[in-house]
Amino acid sequence: CPPPPPSRQATEGFMEASIAPSTRLPGAPNTLSVSFSTTVAIPAGSALLLTSLQGSPSPDGDIEVSHEGGSLAPTAKWLQTGGVLELQVVVDTNPGTLYTFSFPLINPPQ
């Protein structure tokens, strides 16, 4: 069965923000695809934080991130306990530009 539609939640400074799973099967490997655009530039050295990803048994550590362009780091820090992914911005982003990236996590068992 196809994955569900993406979740959308834009916060201040963001024109668009969405995240879409490749699958919702319990315990399955999942690729999460994230898209965002902002109303302001995000300066190099800043971090993007994705929160509320609790339940994944993926262990703490660096996770490979897939994306095109050079504004985002090739790896992110995953914190299992808090369900947080931290991705560094390595080159200033441009307002209004759509950025996309994806990363793997294991779905919660239930």
Side-chain angles (χ1 to χ4, degrees):
C1 91
S7 169
R8 297 182 189 278
Q9 180 179 358
T11 58
E12 187 176 332
F14 284 84
M15 295 168 57
E16 178 182 334
S18 65
I19 185 167
S22 61
T23 182
R24 289 193 186 259
L25 291 173
N30 189 3
T31 299
L32 297 165
S33 298
V34 178
S35 297
F36 70 93
S37 62
T38 60
T39 58
V40 297
I42 301 174
S46 299
L48 296 173
L49 296 176
L50 275 67
T51 61
S52 301
L53 301 172
Q54 291 94 341
S56 172
S58 298
D60 289 351
D62 290 339
I63 291 182
E64 203 169 308
V65 175
S66 299
H67 59 82
E68 292 185 21
S71 292
L72 305 174
T75 59
K77 293 186 187 304
W78 167 247
L79 300 171
Q80 179 190 31
T81 303
V84 175
L85 185 85
E86 179 179 330
L87 179 61
Q88 295 295 314
V89 175
V90 295
V91 175
D92 295 357
T93 65
N94 296 310
T97 299
L98 183 65
Y99 293 90
T100 60
F101 65 92
S102 60
F103 60 96
L105 285 181
I106 304 296
N107 281 342
Q110 289 289 351

